[in-house]
Amino acid sequence: TEAKYSRCRNSMIRKSTNLREMHRQELDMKEKELSRLARIIDKAFRWFPMFMEMLRMEKFCAMLGFSKEMTESLIVKKEALKCSGKIYSEQHRRNFDIKDDILRVENDPDDESRLNLTINRKPIADWFREQWHRLRYGARVPQQEERKSRGFKL
């Protein structure tokens, strides 16, 4: 029985070693594949300078709440979209309503290597700022006219 136990244990050790070696080889293959993909991505960034900017804009559109289809139409197809709904401003931490507004991704006029999302031809940062001021100051109740003083009553 001791010999059987020893053979069984040795067999399990060999299997364990084989499994570890197989696992190590698998990890090596995956590491090589990741390295190859990283080189391809680096090359894509060099060959297509707007690629990184398009990825940034894709992330921004997702943060605003756009669907993948809307984002693809704006960035890849360069289509203008007429939209109604709500978009989220991270800066103001709230949703803003849009109604039949025209959204478009355009090259930044000040920096051709950057993309800008516009709403009705206005950069989105300016549009958000305008909406925020409308909400904050446009809804303010006008101050009552000062009443004429009737003096002090004693």
Side-chain angles (χ1 to χ4, degrees), residues 74-98:
L74 288 166
I75 297 173
V76 179
K77 299 176 184 173
K78 301 250 184 221
E79 295 176 341
L81 301 177
K82 188 174 188 174
C83 297
S84 294
K86 293 184 182 300
I87 56 175
Y88 180 75
S89 167
E90 197 170 69
Q91 180 182 2
H92 299 99
R93 293 187 178 97
R94 69 177 325 277
N95 285 311
F96 290 96
D97 291 324
I98 55 174

Side-chain angles (χ1 to χ4, degrees), residues 54 57-58 61 66-83 103-106 117:
M54 292 170 85
M57 186 56 64
E58 176 192 33
C61 287
F66 295 175
S67 69
K68 290 181 192 268
E69 293 79 16
M70 287 174 66
T71 301
E72 187 172 319
S73 292
L74 288 166
I75 297 173
V76 179
K77 299 176 184 173
K78 301 250 184 221
E79 295 176 341
L81 301 177
K82 188 174 188 174
C83 297
L103 288 90
R104 182 183 309 242
V105 171
E106 302 173 349
L117 179 65

